[in-house]
Amino acid sequence: MKKVLVIGFVWPEPNSSAAGTHMMSLLNTFRAQNWDVEFATPAQRTEHMVNLDAFGITSQSIALNCDSFDEYVKAYNPDIVMFDRFMMEEQFGWRVDKHCPHAIKILDTEDLQCLRNARHEAFKGEREFTISDLHSDIAKREIAAILRCDLNLIISSYEMRLLSSVFKIEPSLLHHLPFMVDLSSLPASTKTFEQRQHFMTIGNFRHAPNWDAVLHLQKIWPLIRKQLPKAELHIYGSYPPPKATALNNPKTGFLIKGWADNAFDVMQSARVCLAPLRFGAGIKGKLLEAMIMQTPSVTTNIGAEGMHNDLPWPGKIANTADDFANAAVEMYTNQSDFEQAQQDGNTLLNTLYDKAQLSTVLIKKIDSISSDLKAHREKNFTGQMLKHHTMRSTQYMSQWIAEKNKKLD
């Protein structure tokens, strides 16, 4: 029986973010193999965090820059260590290498932080994103973490191509793993075109692309409302700040709903999901939830990126405010377009997001690496070199902070 240690950036919140849902899918996939799974994180506990005990997953709070982790990881002695985002590999990776050198190191990138950051910087600079924007300090850190790991889980097909073509990462280090959907649990039926009303969007307000989308909807919504004067836009999401709730305007139908107890229920009640995302990375949980609940979506190229390959989008893709508003109105009023989008969504779910198939391939990949870890690592000389040199600076900085903290105590 394998022992898996997952070092999380935050406690999983599947009802708050797509990252939380994806993390739970991975944890449950490992548990389905009858592997022991422990989740450890230096993050503070939150009101919306999931009860891991209910899933047979143990948990542990750990400290940054503290030698206590060394004793902890030696005692647990994992066969596999998975890092949630590259920052966790930076912080704890060298300690795992030192005390559990034979543990397989997996990096769950969630989405490429360097891509998200580069697009955000280009957006703030009011210019088009270019590949040269990727050559940042964050990219150097993230790519180094990828190279130091034995396997990297990449959520977007676009990011797979980017890592291969721009950063020249060896294919043996990369594994494409989008969101995993249990097709057997899909609803047998959902509300019909006539039973649904209004528009909706959903997303954690702390996530910069989501907050920008809400601000952008303020410009788009009057264009929609002009053509559909009785329609409403319901905006859901966890952790709404005062600046978000202040936008609530019943007179215009622009309604900040905040936390949704069940994202699928509010998704199914709406006729169309709107996601005018202007920057970001990875793939979008809200758009997958829309497919699951057979709710057509209108999004941008950024929103749909890496999610549908060459298959039709289950809704419409538009990038300017005018085009987006017109696409939203057309999808809202045209029943045949609505029903075609539902069919396209079902096709995507069955073709690209089948949990049974995706989890089987992932476990086979891990088992293959486990069967000859030495040979796998010998093919990645750059990663071994980075462990030897680059991580020393991170290691010594961490040790210096640890010693400093001891003196303060």
mmCIF file of all heavy atoms in Angstrom, residues 328-368:
data_model
loop_
_atom_site.group_PDB
_atom_site.id
_atom_site.type_symbol
_atom_site.label_atom_id
_atom_site.label_comp_id
_atom_site.label_asym_id
_atom_site.label_seq_id
_atom_site.Cartn_x
_atom_site.Cartn_y
_atom_site.Cartn_z
ATOM 1 N N ALA A 328 -24.777 36.733 -26.102
ATOM 2 C CA ALA A 328 -25.539 36.372 -24.910
ATOM 3 C C ALA A 328 -27.042 36.445 -25.182
ATOM 4 O O ALA A 328 -27.804 35.548 -24.795
ATOM 5 C CB ALA A 328 -25.161 37.283 -23.750
ATOM 6 N N VAL A 329 -27.467 37.507 -25.849
ATOM 7 C CA VAL A 329 -28.891 37.675 -26.155
ATOM 8 C C VAL A 329 -29.366 36.585 -27.111
ATOM 9 O O VAL A 329 -30.447 36.006 -26.931
ATOM 10 C CB VAL A 329 -29.153 39.072 -26.762
ATOM 11 C CG1 VAL A 329 -30.582 39.170 -27.302
ATOM 12 C CG2 VAL A 329 -28.901 40.157 -25.718
ATOM 13 N N GLU A 330 -28.564 36.281 -28.116
ATOM 14 C CA GLU A 330 -28.937 35.243 -29.079
ATOM 15 C C GLU A 330 -29.060 33.885 -28.399
ATOM 16 O O GLU A 330 -30.017 33.136 -28.656
ATOM 17 C CB GLU A 330 -27.909 35.187 -30.203
ATOM 18 C CG GLU A 330 -28.277 34.214 -31.321
ATOM 19 C CD GLU A 330 -27.282 34.225 -32.465
ATOM 20 O OE1 GLU A 330 -26.380 35.078 -32.457
ATOM 21 O OE2 GLU A 330 -27.401 33.367 -33.365
ATOM 22 N N MET A 331 -28.129 33.559 -27.526
ATOM 23 C CA MET A 331 -28.186 32.280 -26.824
ATOM 24 C C MET A 331 -29.376 32.225 -25.878
ATOM 25 O O MET A 331 -29.995 31.179 -25.699
ATOM 26 C CB MET A 331 -26.879 32.063 -26.053
ATOM 27 C CG MET A 331 -26.773 30.710 -25.361
ATOM 28 S SD MET A 331 -26.995 29.296 -26.472
ATOM 29 C CE MET A 331 -25.605 29.525 -27.578
ATOM 30 N N TYR A 332 -29.715 33.355 -25.296
ATOM 31 C CA TYR A 332 -30.817 33.426 -24.328
ATOM 32 C C TYR A 332 -32.177 33.276 -25.005
ATOM 33 O O TYR A 332 -33.111 32.721 -24.422
ATOM 34 C CB TYR A 332 -30.749 34.764 -23.591
ATOM 35 C CG TYR A 332 -31.642 34.855 -22.378
ATOM 36 C CD1 TYR A 332 -31.193 34.433 -21.128
ATOM 37 C CD2 TYR A 332 -32.932 35.382 -22.464
ATOM 38 C CE1 TYR A 332 -31.992 34.525 -20.004
ATOM 39 C CE2 TYR A 332 -33.752 35.480 -21.349
ATOM 40 C CZ TYR A 332 -33.269 35.044 -20.113
ATOM 41 O OH TYR A 332 -34.077 35.131 -18.997
ATOM 42 N N THR A 333 -32.293 33.752 -26.232
ATOM 43 C CA THR A 333 -33.603 33.810 -26.894
ATOM 44 C C THR A 333 -33.830 32.722 -27.936
ATOM 45 O O THR A 333 -34.972 32.490 -28.346
ATOM 46 C CB THR A 333 -33.778 35.179 -27.585
ATOM 47 O OG1 THR A 333 -32.692 35.394 -28.503
ATOM 48 C CG2 THR A 333 -33.793 36.295 -26.555
ATOM 49 N N ASN A 334 -32.772 32.039 -28.361
ATOM 50 C CA ASN A 334 -32.886 31.051 -29.436
ATOM 51 C C ASN A 334 -32.852 29.641 -28.848
ATOM 52 O O ASN A 334 -31.802 29.138 -28.466
ATOM 53 C CB ASN A 334 -31.740 31.251 -30.443
ATOM 54 C CG ASN A 334 -31.946 30.443 -31.703
ATOM 55 O OD1 ASN A 334 -32.342 29.277 -31.657
ATOM 56 N ND2 ASN A 334 -31.662 31.056 -32.850
ATOM 57 N N GLN A 335 -33.999 28.984 -28.814
ATOM 58 C CA GLN A 335 -34.086 27.669 -28.181
ATOM 59 C C GLN A 335 -33.281 26.614 -28.931
ATOM 60 O O GLN A 335 -32.683 25.728 -28.311
ATOM 61 C CB GLN A 335 -35.545 27.216 -28.069
ATOM 62 C CG GLN A 335 -35.717 25.910 -27.304
ATOM 63 C CD GLN A 335 -37.163 25.594 -26.984
ATOM 64 O OE1 GLN A 335 -38.060 26.422 -27.197
ATOM 65 N NE2 GLN A 335 -37.415 24.397 -26.468
ATOM 66 N N SER A 336 -33.244 26.692 -30.242
ATOM 67 C CA SER A 336 -32.486 25.688 -31.001
ATOM 68 C C SER A 336 -30.983 25.817 -30.712
ATOM 69 O O SER A 336 -30.274 24.804 -30.585
ATOM 70 C CB SER A 336 -32.757 25.826 -32.497
ATOM 71 O OG SER A 336 -32.344 27.092 -32.987
ATOM 72 N N ASP A 337 -30.470 27.053 -30.618
ATOM 73 C CA ASP A 337 -29.067 27.261 -30.243
ATOM 74 C C ASP A 337 -28.814 26.733 -28.832
ATOM 75 O O ASP A 337 -27.758 26.130 -28.559
ATOM 76 C CB ASP A 337 -28.713 28.746 -30.309
ATOM 77 C CG ASP A 337 -28.484 29.230 -31.732
ATOM 78 O OD1 ASP A 337 -28.595 28.400 -32.664
ATOM 79 O OD2 ASP A 337 -28.203 30.431 -31.913
ATOM 80 N N PHE A 338 -29.750 26.976 -27.942
ATOM 81 C CA PHE A 338 -29.663 26.515 -26.558
ATOM 82 C C PHE A 338 -29.528 24.996 -26.510
ATOM 83 O O PHE A 338 -28.645 24.441 -25.840
ATOM 84 C CB PHE A 338 -30.909 26.977 -25.796
ATOM 85 C CG PHE A 338 -31.008 26.498 -24.371
ATOM 86 C CD1 PHE A 338 -30.572 27.286 -23.327
ATOM 87 C CD2 PHE A 338 -31.577 25.267 -24.070
ATOM 88 C CE1 PHE A 338 -30.676 26.863 -22.009
ATOM 89 C CE2 PHE A 338 -31.681 24.819 -22.759
ATOM 90 C CZ PHE A 338 -31.226 25.624 -21.732
ATOM 91 N N GLU A 339 -30.387 24.299 -27.223
ATOM 92 C CA GLU A 339 -30.382 22.834 -27.190
ATOM 93 C C GLU A 339 -29.166 22.256 -27.905
ATOM 94 O O GLU A 339 -28.642 21.206 -27.503
ATOM 95 C CB GLU A 339 -31.687 22.315 -27.788
ATOM 96 C CG GLU A 339 -32.887 22.648 -26.897
ATOM 97 C CD GLU A 339 -34.232 22.319 -27.540
ATOM 98 O OE1 GLU A 339 -34.242 21.998 -28.765
ATOM 99 O OE2 GLU A 339 -35.260 22.398 -26.844
ATOM 100 N N GLN A 340 -28.689 22.930 -28.954
ATOM 101 C CA GLN A 340 -27.467 22.473 -29.619
ATOM 102 C C GLN A 340 -26.271 22.615 -28.682
ATOM 103 O O GLN A 340 -25.392 21.740 -28.639
ATOM 104 C CB GLN A 340 -27.224 23.280 -30.896
ATOM 105 C CG GLN A 340 -25.986 22.852 -31.683
ATOM 106 C CD GLN A 340 -26.057 21.404 -32.137
ATOM 107 O OE1 GLN A 340 -27.038 20.993 -32.769
ATOM 108 N NE2 GLN A 340 -25.034 20.615 -31.820
ATOM 109 N N ALA A 341 -26.241 23.702 -27.926
ATOM 110 C CA ALA A 341 -25.155 23.905 -26.960
ATOM 111 C C ALA A 341 -25.155 22.813 -25.903
ATOM 112 O O ALA A 341 -24.094 22.348 -25.469
ATOM 113 C CB ALA A 341 -25.285 25.285 -26.313
ATOM 114 N N GLN A 342 -26.325 22.386 -25.481
ATOM 115 C CA GLN A 342 -26.417 21.301 -24.513
ATOM 116 C C GLN A 342 -25.809 20.016 -25.082
ATOM 117 O O GLN A 342 -25.060 19.308 -24.388
ATOM 118 C CB GLN A 342 -27.876 21.060 -24.122
ATOM 119 C CG GLN A 342 -28.475 22.166 -23.260
ATOM 120 C CD GLN A 342 -29.893 21.842 -22.821
ATOM 121 O OE1 GLN A 342 -30.709 21.343 -23.613
ATOM 122 N NE2 GLN A 342 -30.202 22.121 -21.562
ATOM 123 N N GLN A 343 -26.111 19.709 -26.330
ATOM 124 C CA GLN A 343 -25.545 18.517 -26.969
ATOM 125 C C GLN A 343 -24.025 18.632 -27.085
ATOM 126 O O GLN A 343 -23.291 17.660 -26.837
ATOM 127 C CB GLN A 343 -26.163 18.330 -28.352
ATOM 128 C CG GLN A 343 -27.652 17.997 -28.338
ATOM 129 C CD GLN A 343 -28.220 17.860 -29.746
ATOM 130 O OE1 GLN A 343 -27.511 17.513 -30.689
ATOM 131 N NE2 GLN A 343 -29.497 18.150 -29.901
ATOM 132 N N ASP A 344 -23.541 19.817 -27.448
ATOM 133 C CA ASP A 344 -22.093 20.022 -27.579
ATOM 134 C C ASP A 344 -21.402 19.855 -26.228
ATOM 135 O O ASP A 344 -20.285 19.320 -26.152
ATOM 136 C CB ASP A 344 -21.806 21.412 -28.150
ATOM 137 C CG ASP A 344 -22.261 21.550 -29.599
ATOM 138 O OD1 ASP A 344 -22.388 20.513 -30.286
ATOM 139 O OD2 ASP A 344 -22.493 22.695 -30.041
ATOM 140 N N GLY A 345 -22.054 20.303 -25.166
ATOM 141 C CA GLY A 345 -21.486 20.144 -23.833
ATOM 142 C C GLY A 345 -21.375 18.680 -23.445
ATOM 143 O O GLY A 345 -20.363 18.243 -22.878
ATOM 144 N N ASN A 346 -22.410 17.906 -23.745
ATOM 145 C CA ASN A 346 -22.374 16.469 -23.444
ATOM 146 C C ASN A 346 -21.245 15.776 -24.205
ATOM 147 O O ASN A 346 -20.577 14.878 -23.670
ATOM 148 C CB ASN A 346 -23.715 15.828 -23.795
ATOM 149 C CG ASN A 346 -24.816 16.242 -22.833
ATOM 150 O OD1 ASN A 346 -24.555 16.598 -21.695
ATOM 151 N ND2 ASN A 346 -26.062 16.193 -23.295
ATOM 152 N N THR A 347 -21.037 16.172 -25.451
ATOM 153 C CA THR A 347 -19.959 15.596 -26.249
ATOM 154 C C THR A 347 -18.602 15.879 -25.618
ATOM 155 O O THR A 347 -17.744 14.984 -25.520
ATOM 156 C CB THR A 347 -19.994 16.150 -27.685
ATOM 157 O OG1 THR A 347 -21.238 15.811 -28.296
ATOM 158 C CG2 THR A 347 -18.855 15.589 -28.517
ATOM 159 N N LEU A 348 -18.395 17.108 -25.171
ATOM 160 C CA LEU A 348 -17.123 17.468 -24.538
ATOM 161 C C LEU A 348 -16.905 16.676 -23.252
ATOM 162 O O LEU A 348 -15.796 16.183 -23.016
ATOM 163 C CB LEU A 348 -17.102 18.966 -24.220
ATOM 164 C CG LEU A 348 -16.793 19.923 -25.371
ATOM 165 C CD1 LEU A 348 -16.774 21.356 -24.875
ATOM 166 C CD2 LEU A 348 -15.464 19.593 -26.020
ATOM 167 N N LEU A 349 -17.923 16.559 -22.437
ATOM 168 C CA LEU A 349 -17.787 15.833 -21.172
ATOM 169 C C LEU A 349 -17.366 14.388 -21.424
ATOM 170 O O LEU A 349 -16.471 13.858 -20.753
ATOM 171 C CB LEU A 349 -19.108 15.862 -20.390
ATOM 172 C CG LEU A 349 -19.508 17.206 -19.778
ATOM 173 C CD1 LEU A 349 -20.899 17.115 -19.181
ATOM 174 C CD2 LEU A 349 -18.507 17.647 -18.710
ATOM 175 N N ASN A 350 -18.005 13.749 -22.373
ATOM 176 C CA ASN A 350 -17.720 12.344 -22.651
ATOM 177 C C ASN A 350 -16.378 12.149 -23.354
ATOM 178 O O ASN A 350 -15.732 11.111 -23.168
ATOM 179 C CB ASN A 350 -18.844 11.737 -23.504
ATOM 180 C CG ASN A 350 -20.085 11.434 -22.693
ATOM 181 O OD1 ASN A 350 -20.183 10.396 -22.045
ATOM 182 N ND2 ASN A 350 -21.045 12.353 -22.717
ATOM 183 N N THR A 351 -15.954 13.128 -24.119
ATOM 184 C CA THR A 351 -14.722 12.990 -24.901
ATOM 185 C C THR A 351 -13.471 13.370 -24.108
ATOM 186 O O THR A 351 -12.438 12.700 -24.207
ATOM 187 C CB THR A 351 -14.803 13.856 -26.174
ATOM 188 O OG1 THR A 351 -15.990 13.527 -26.905
ATOM 189 C CG2 THR A 351 -13.585 13.632 -27.061
ATOM 190 N N LEU A 352 -13.575 14.440 -23.305
ATOM 191 C CA LEU A 352 -12.370 15.011 -22.690
ATOM 192 C C LEU A 352 -12.297 14.928 -21.173
ATOM 193 O O LEU A 352 -11.210 15.056 -20.616
ATOM 194 C CB LEU A 352 -12.249 16.490 -23.092
ATOM 195 C CG LEU A 352 -12.179 16.806 -24.592
ATOM 196 C CD1 LEU A 352 -12.096 18.305 -24.803
ATOM 197 C CD2 LEU A 352 -10.992 16.102 -25.234
ATOM 198 N N TYR A 353 -13.419 14.707 -20.484
ATOM 199 C CA TYR A 353 -13.414 14.886 -19.031
ATOM 200 C C TYR A 353 -13.873 13.656 -18.244
ATOM 201 O O TYR A 353 -14.221 13.766 -17.077
ATOM 202 C CB TYR A 353 -14.291 16.097 -18.657
ATOM 203 C CG TYR A 353 -13.784 17.385 -19.255
ATOM 204 C CD1 TYR A 353 -14.339 17.905 -20.428
ATOM 205 C CD2 TYR A 353 -12.728 18.069 -18.669
ATOM 206 C CE1 TYR A 353 -13.854 19.076 -20.985
ATOM 207 C CE2 TYR A 353 -12.235 19.241 -19.224
ATOM 208 C CZ TYR A 353 -12.810 19.744 -20.383
ATOM 209 O OH TYR A 353 -12.316 20.902 -20.931
ATOM 210 N N ASP A 354 -13.834 12.499 -18.837
ATOM 211 C CA ASP A 354 -14.290 11.266 -18.192
ATOM 212 C C ASP A 354 -13.320 10.862 -17.075
ATOM 213 O O ASP A 354 -12.182 10.473 -17.340
ATOM 214 C CB ASP A 354 -14.395 10.156 -19.240
ATOM 215 C CG ASP A 354 -14.894 8.841 -18.659
ATOM 216 O OD1 ASP A 354 -15.202 8.780 -17.453
ATOM 217 O OD2 ASP A 354 -14.971 7.862 -19.425
ATOM 218 N N LYS A 355 -13.773 10.949 -15.839
ATOM 219 C CA LYS A 355 -12.920 10.647 -14.691
ATOM 220 C C LYS A 355 -12.395 9.212 -14.729
ATOM 221 O O LYS A 355 -11.227 8.963 -14.401
ATOM 222 C CB LYS A 355 -13.680 10.879 -13.387
ATOM 223 C CG LYS A 355 -12.851 10.580 -12.150
ATOM 224 C CD LYS A 355 -13.618 10.842 -10.862
ATOM 225 C CE LYS A 355 -12.756 10.542 -9.644
ATOM 226 N NZ LYS A 355 -13.472 10.811 -8.373
ATOM 227 N N ALA A 356 -13.234 8.264 -15.106
ATOM 228 C CA ALA A 356 -12.817 6.863 -15.111
ATOM 229 C C ALA A 356 -11.601 6.662 -16.009
ATOM 230 O O ALA A 356 -10.630 5.985 -15.633
ATOM 231 C CB ALA A 356 -13.974 5.978 -15.568
ATOM 232 N N GLN A 357 -11.629 7.264 -17.181
ATOM 233 C CA GLN A 357 -10.515 7.126 -18.116
ATOM 234 C C GLN A 357 -9.298 7.932 -17.658
ATOM 235 O O GLN A 357 -8.164 7.432 -17.657
ATOM 236 C CB GLN A 357 -10.943 7.586 -19.513
ATOM 237 C CG GLN A 357 -9.848 7.479 -20.562
ATOM 238 C CD GLN A 357 -10.311 7.915 -21.942
ATOM 239 O OE1 GLN A 357 -11.478 8.251 -22.137
ATOM 240 N NE2 GLN A 357 -9.397 7.924 -22.891
ATOM 241 N N LEU A 358 -9.523 9.170 -17.241
ATOM 242 C CA LEU A 358 -8.418 10.045 -16.856
ATOM 243 C C LEU A 358 -7.676 9.525 -15.627
ATOM 244 O O LEU A 358 -6.440 9.555 -15.575
ATOM 245 C CB LEU A 358 -8.943 11.458 -16.590
ATOM 246 C CG LEU A 358 -9.471 12.228 -17.804
ATOM 247 C CD1 LEU A 358 -10.177 13.503 -17.355
ATOM 248 C CD2 LEU A 358 -8.351 12.561 -18.781
ATOM 249 N N SER A 359 -8.410 9.050 -14.637
ATOM 250 C CA SER A 359 -7.770 8.557 -13.418
ATOM 251 C C SER A 359 -6.990 7.271 -13.678
ATOM 252 O O SER A 359 -5.910 7.064 -13.112
ATOM 253 C CB SER A 359 -8.814 8.342 -12.318
ATOM 254 O OG SER A 359 -9.782 7.384 -12.712
ATOM 255 N N THR A 360 -7.522 6.412 -14.542
ATOM 256 C CA THR A 360 -6.818 5.167 -14.877
ATOM 257 C C THR A 360 -5.469 5.455 -15.535
ATOM 258 O O THR A 360 -4.442 4.860 -15.178
ATOM 259 C CB THR A 360 -7.680 4.301 -15.809
ATOM 260 O OG1 THR A 360 -8.885 3.937 -15.132
ATOM 261 C CG2 THR A 360 -6.937 3.044 -16.229
ATOM 262 N N VAL A 361 -5.464 6.384 -16.477
ATOM 263 C CA VAL A 361 -4.220 6.738 -17.171
ATOM 264 C C VAL A 361 -3.228 7.366 -16.199
ATOM 265 O O VAL A 361 -2.020 7.100 -16.255
ATOM 266 C CB VAL A 361 -4.522 7.685 -18.347
ATOM 267 C CG1 VAL A 361 -3.223 8.166 -18.993
ATOM 268 C CG2 VAL A 361 -5.390 6.986 -19.393
ATOM 269 N N LEU A 362 -3.715 8.218 -15.283
ATOM 270 C CA LEU A 362 -2.837 8.853 -14.309
ATOM 271 C C LEU A 362 -2.160 7.822 -13.410
ATOM 272 O O LEU A 362 -0.931 7.869 -13.208
ATOM 273 C CB LEU A 362 -3.630 9.843 -13.449
ATOM 274 C CG LEU A 362 -2.866 10.442 -12.255
ATOM 275 C CD1 LEU A 362 -1.662 11.254 -12.734
ATOM 276 C CD2 LEU A 362 -3.799 11.289 -11.394
ATOM 277 N N ILE A 363 -2.927 6.883 -12.880
ATOM 278 C CA ILE A 363 -2.354 5.875 -11.981
ATOM 279 C C ILE A 363 -1.344 5.002 -12.726
ATOM 280 O O ILE A 363 -0.283 4.650 -12.186
ATOM 281 C CB ILE A 363 -3.460 5.020 -11.346
ATOM 282 C CG1 ILE A 363 -4.369 5.903 -10.475
ATOM 283 C CG2 ILE A 363 -2.866 3.890 -10.512
ATOM 284 C CD1 ILE A 363 -3.655 6.649 -9.372
ATOM 285 N N LYS A 364 -1.629 4.653 -13.973
ATOM 286 C CA LYS A 364 -0.684 3.873 -14.775
ATOM 287 C C LYS A 364 0.621 4.637 -14.964
ATOM 288 O O LYS A 364 1.713 4.047 -14.931
ATOM 289 C CB LYS A 364 -1.301 3.519 -16.136
ATOM 290 C CG LYS A 364 -2.350 2.422 -16.084
ATOM 291 C CD LYS A 364 -2.858 2.100 -17.477
ATOM 292 C CE LYS A 364 -3.876 0.954 -17.441
ATOM 293 N NZ LYS A 364 -4.416 0.643 -18.799
ATOM 294 N N LYS A 365 0.514 5.952 -15.148
ATOM 295 C CA LYS A 365 1.708 6.782 -15.323
ATOM 296 C C LYS A 365 2.548 6.778 -14.053
ATOM 297 O O LYS A 365 3.784 6.614 -14.097
ATOM 298 C CB LYS A 365 1.289 8.210 -15.672
ATOM 299 C CG LYS A 365 2.436 9.173 -15.901
ATOM 300 C CD LYS A 365 2.989 9.058 -17.300
ATOM 301 C CE LYS A 365 3.972 10.172 -17.598
ATOM 302 N NZ LYS A 365 4.378 10.185 -19.016
ATOM 303 N N ILE A 366 1.900 6.937 -12.911
ATOM 304 C CA ILE A 366 2.621 6.947 -11.639
ATOM 305 C C ILE A 366 3.264 5.586 -11.385
ATOM 306 O O ILE A 366 4.426 5.500 -10.962
ATOM 307 C CB ILE A 366 1.669 7.326 -10.489
ATOM 308 C CG1 ILE A 366 1.199 8.785 -10.646
ATOM 309 C CG2 ILE A 366 2.345 7.131 -9.134
ATOM 310 C CD1 ILE A 366 0.121 9.198 -9.671
ATOM 311 N N ASP A 367 2.524 4.518 -11.642
ATOM 312 C CA ASP A 367 3.066 3.166 -11.438
ATOM 313 C C ASP A 367 4.261 2.913 -12.348
ATOM 314 O O ASP A 367 5.238 2.261 -11.948
ATOM 315 C CB ASP A 367 1.982 2.119 -11.695
ATOM 316 C CG ASP A 367 0.958 2.055 -10.566
ATOM 317 O OD1 ASP A 367 1.268 2.552 -9.463
ATOM 318 O OD2 ASP A 367 -0.144 1.517 -10.789
ATOM 319 N N SER A 368 4.195 3.431 -13.574
ATOM 320 C CA SER A 368 5.296 3.247 -14.516
ATOM 321 C C SER A 368 6.562 3.937 -14.007
ATOM 322 O O SER A 368 7.666 3.374 -14.069
ATOM 323 C CB SER A 368 4.911 3.797 -15.886
ATOM 324 O OG SER A 368 5.998 3.744 -16.787
#
